[in-house]
Amino acid sequence: MIIKSAEFVKSSGKWQDCPLPDLPEYAFIGRSNVGKSSLINGMLHRKDLAKTSQTPGKTQLINHFLINENWYLTDLPGYGYARVSKSLRKDFEKLITNYILQRKNLVNLFVLIDSRHAPQKIDLEFIEWCGENGIPFSIVFTKADKLKPAVAVANVEHYQNELLKAWEDLPETYLTSAEKREGTDEILKFITKTNEFLHKNHVNFD
Ligand code: GTP
Ligand code: MG
């Protein structure tokens, strides 16, 4: 897919304030600092469209971007950010889970996982929650440039084996680097294919 246009639409503090759900929407989710905003920029070939930071907890609202005037990409706040109060963390979790459960036009969630780490409980629990709630999702491993290629691949396999303990089938998986812009075209390809399918089948979200 060629990115002809990518514009920031708005930031919303709750799902009810998001743009009208009239176009297919794809969202990036994952732990704070996993690289959601960076990967969005890498994928769209835009430097600073989504705000990034070395300090976890940068993205605190639901940010909508309109791509090629025909689909939305959403940058969500990270979950599991330890350095905020428990009640604030609960507020973020609520914001995220309400958005995921209520957003009518959400077609697929990309769950980002840091490729450097062994499977973490918080991510596995989130993935399980997606399954329980019938949320379509893919898994995107991030920051692959920080590892030797063979180690990155081995970590992905290890993760998949962990998932196979609970899942019969594995979701689509991508190994990416925002820094090197790797794996992002594959994600765009998936989005193109899905948009074409929705169009062909006259799916609208009203
Ligand atoms: P929150 O908005 O706080 O939830 O974080 P986020 O998931 O949006 O992460 P963000 O994109 O802000 O990136 C966090 C840090 O990781 C930044 O310092 C990025 O430069 C770095 N980073 C993100 N992706 C990559 C990558 O692919 N390679 C490398 N080397 N660093 C990355
Ligand atoms: Mg962010």
Side-chain angles (χ1 to χ4, degrees):
M1 182 190 313
I2 296 166
I3 306 297
K4 284 174 271 177
S5 64
E7 352 157 3
F8 169 72
V9 180
K10 71 181 290 197
S11 299
S12 313
K14 52 182 193 289
W15 70 270
Q16 293 95 329
D17 293 341
C18 291
L20 277 179
D22 53 0
L23 293 170
E25 183 158 314
Y26 301 82
F28 278 27
I29 181 96
R31 291 188 88 164
S32 200
N33 215 42
V34 70
K36 299 173 290 295
S37 303
S38 303
L39 198 63
I40 286 176
N41 291 332
M43 192 170 92
L44 300 176
H45 298 246
R46 301 292 193 278
K47 249 193 147 153
D48 291 313
L49 192 63
K51 300 291 167 235
T52 65
S53 168
Q54 289 179 338
T55 320
K58 173 71 184 172
T59 310
Q60 302 203 341
L61 296 164
I62 303 166
N63 293 297
H64 275 81
F65 302 95
L66 178 63
I67 316 303
N68 291 349
E69 292 177 10
N70 69 5
W71 57 279
Y72 284 120
L73 186 59
T74 321
D75 189 12
L76 295 172
Y79 55 74
Y81 176 38
R83 287 169 68 187
V84 295
S85 69
K86 217 173 186 177
S87 72
L88 198 58
R89 216 181 320 159
K90 279 256 164 317
D91 288 349
F92 277 147
E93 262 161 41
K94 232 182 160 153
L95 170 71
I96 295 166
T97 51
N98 280 341
Y99 162 83
I100 295 171
L101 294 172
Q102 303 294 341
R103 188 74 176 151
K104 278 196 289 195
N105 59 335
L106 181 63
V107 177
N108 193 63
L109 202 56
F110 291 96
V111 181
L112 274 60
I113 306 279
D114 194 319
S115 63
R116 294 172 297 172
H117 306 317
Q120 310 272 307
K121 191 163 165 240
I122 190 163
D123 293 318
L124 295 171
E125 280 175 359
F126 179 74
I127 291 168
E128 193 182 317
W129 180 86
C130 288
E132 282 165 5
N133 288 282
I135 309 296
F137 68 93
S138 319
I139 296 191
V140 176
F141 293 93
T142 63
K143 308 193 186 183
D145 59 281
K146 292 195 178 219
L147 294 170
K148 292 209 170 93
V151 177
V153 169
N155 285 1
V156 168
E157 278 172 9
H158 178 66
Y159 212 100
Q160 289 177 322
N161 286 333
E162 187 65 36
L163 290 176
L164 283 171
K165 290 180 186 166
W167 293 77
E168 247 172 66
D169 302 307
L170 288 172
E172 294 244 9
T173 298
Y174 303 89
L175 179 59
T176 67
S177 160
E179 190 94 357
K180 296 258 166 74
R181 214 184 275 135
E182 280 167 5
T184 49
D185 284 349
E186 283 72 13
I187 298 175
L188 282 175
K189 234 176 248 164
F190 170 84
I191 293 173
T192 305
K193 229 174 51 193
T194 308
N195 284 345
E196 281 168 3
F197 175 85
L198 295 172
H199 186 72
K200 221 166 67 199
N201 289 281
H202 308 287
V203 174
N204 62 49
F205 303 99
D206 301 329

